[in-house]
Amino acid sequence: MTNNDTINNTERLARVLKVLGDSNRLGIALSIGKDSRSVTEIVNASGLSQTLVSFHLRIMREADVVRTERNGPFIHYSLSDPALLEVLFELSRMINGKRLRIEKTPEPTVKRAAELKTGKALK
Amino acid sequence: MTNNDTINNTERLARVLKVLGDSNRLGIALSIGKDSRSVTEIVNASGLSQTLVSFHLRIMREADVVRTERNGPFIHYSLSDPALLEVLFELSRMINGKRLRIEKTPEPTVKRAAELKTGKALK
DNA sequence: GCCTCATATAAATAACTACTCATATAGTAG
DNA sequence: CTACTATATGAGTAGTTATTTATATGAGGC
């Protein structure tokens, strides 16, 4: 592996991180999830204007974060690699830590949740 | 967890992603790695100006991506959560796929490295 | 063909970001 | 205290980005 490859890999990674580093786009990615969603669905879920959603979807498309598929008058968007979600959840866990997770929290036990409520686990 | 928490979690995640979504900052984070590096070391490793490195380090510090510790005249920076590296490597693997890894590849065996050299593993 | 719905694109702009250059602060040695 | 090294900060700026408004394209039904 040449040094140049490393640079390019870093840059490619940075590009994707930047694309996801906008809360509107991140929200869109999370709302697509493992599924496939039409623009209208995304618009409704996000509360953003159709134009703005299309704008962000284009950026995500060009960064190859999402894929499109036409279905009649609809264009359905899905994550190019749904495994992205796991990475995002993991990062979210790291960042939001004891503050719980993004979306429906998948695994915290009742006991753990109780600790969080009392602030006991927050140090 | 209220809906508001979700929004805040998403925003916090986006903020960190944005911080890492600049190739200079990402490079700095990767060059710090599991270690602790002085500003001068980072400057030398990155080839960026001291001012620019300090500028980016401040952004990373304020996003809590890095921590500082003073040692005499030096200020050493380290990743707040070194596990961040694994997440970045995983994402990099997803993105750069068969195109090899970032930095010194941590784990590929000799055999694997040989395959990579011949391009055999690149499909 | 025309109408409607779904989506994309273009242009304009305000806000933000990375960067440079100059300067300041802080630690250590003498 | 002075000199030197290490690091941070402030001001200025060019370039980028998110957003809005207006308009275009494209598919399906009539």
Side-chain angles (χ1 to χ4, degrees), chain B residues 63-79:
Chain B
D64 214 45
V65 169
V66 294
R67 290 260 153 87
T68 62
E69 193 196 349
R70 179 141 224 156
N71 283 310
F74 300 94
I75 298 182
H76 283 92
Y77 283 79
S78 52
L79 297 181

Side-chain angles (χ1 to χ4, degrees), chain A residues 38-40 50-51 54 73-75 77:
Chain A
S38 73
V39 177
T40 303
Q50 180 264 314
T51 314
S54 276
F74 300 95
I75 298 183
Y77 282 80

Side-chain angles (χ1 to χ4, degrees), chain A residues 62-80:
Chain A
E62 287 176 349
D64 214 46
V65 169
V66 295
R67 290 260 152 85
T68 60
E69 193 196 350
R70 179 141 224 153
N71 283 311
F74 300 95
I75 298 183
H76 282 93
Y77 282 80
S78 51
L79 297 181
S80 298

Side-chain angles (χ1 to χ4, degrees), chain A residues 19 22-26 28-29 42 46 48-63 65-66 77:
Chain A
V19 166
D22 174 275
S23 49
N24 283 339
R25 286 193 289 266
L26 181 58
I28 289 173
I42 296 170
S46 64
L48 303 175
S49 73
Q50 180 264 314
T51 314
L52 188 53
V53 168
S54 276
F55 167 80
H56 285 305
L57 283 174
R58 197 230 280 240
I59 290 171
M60 297 170 82
R61 216 192 309 134
E62 287 176 349
V65 169
V66 295
Y77 282 80

Side-chain angles (χ1 to χ4, degrees), chain B residues 23-75:
Chain B
S23 48
N24 283 338
R25 286 192 291 265
L26 180 58
I28 289 173
L30 293 172
S31 90
I32 291 176
K34 300 277 189 191
D35 302 344
S36 187
R37 303 262 229 151
S38 72
V39 177
T40 303
E41 288 175 312
I42 296 170
V43 167
N44 292 334
S46 66
L48 303 176
S49 73
Q50 180 265 312
T51 314
L52 187 53
V53 167
S54 276
F55 168 78
H56 285 305
L57 284 174
R58 196 228 281 240
I59 291 172
M60 297 170 82
R61 216 192 309 137
E62 284 175 352
D64 214 45
V65 169
V66 294
R67 290 260 153 87
T68 62
E69 193 196 349
R70 179 141 224 156
N71 283 310
F74 300 94
I75 298 182

Side-chain angles (χ1 to χ4, degrees), chain B residues 104-115:
Chain B
K104 0 187 160 181
T105 99
E107 158 247 1
T109 61
V110 176
K111 187 183 163 201
R112 172 94 181 116
E115 287 174 359

